[in-house]
Amino acid sequence: MTPGTTPLIAVTIFCAIAGFRIGRHKGHTLAGFLLGLLLPVVGLIILAFVPMTDEARSRQAAGKHEAGREAQRQLAAEQAQRGAGYPSPAYPQPALGSGTGRRLPGDRDLGSDRAGE
């Protein structure tokens, strides 16, 4: 072997593995591997334009749907764990009559109907 063949072999193996993974995602596993192996960089470019199979599309949609359901389960579990009440424990409200004296924009003056204040 000449010194120049080692990088070429490494690139070919890398492209074959990448072609296999891209092909598996698109539903063309064997074609992706062969394109990556036989036409290393050009094969990956060709594989980028190959459309997904219907089976791969439905598998991807099912995965997204399942991920959404899992996120909803996690959110429901977190809400149940903290009591799902308002205000949430992350933002505790001050006790009534705490006397901070600070007003925020949009606060209404509840005591303005009293005389002398």
Side-chain angles (χ1 to χ4, degrees), residues 44-63:
L44 293 180
I45 293 171
I46 292 170
L47 196 55
F49 291 102
V50 172
M52 291 178 80
T53 62
D54 292 335
E55 181 184 339
R57 273 195 203 104
S58 64
R59 192 173 54 236
Q60 184 181 24

Side-chain angles (χ1 to χ4, degrees), residues 5-18 33 36-40:
T5 58
T6 305
L8 182 63
I9 291 172
V11 167
T12 302
I13 291 172
F14 174 78
C15 287
I17 293 170
F33 175 75
L37 183 67
L38 300 176
L39 303 169

Side-chain angles (χ1 to χ4, degrees), residues 48-89:
F49 291 102
V50 172
M52 291 178 80
T53 62
D54 292 335
E55 181 184 339
R57 273 195 203 104
S58 64
R59 192 173 54 236
Q60 184 181 24
K64 287 181 181 178
H65 184 67
E66 182 60 35
R69 284 200 311 229
E70 181 61 30
Q72 286 178 341
R73 278 189 223 116
Q74 281 184 336
L75 182 61
E78 288 174 6
Q79 287 177 345
Q81 185 178 16
R82 66 177 170 200
Y86 291 99
S88 69

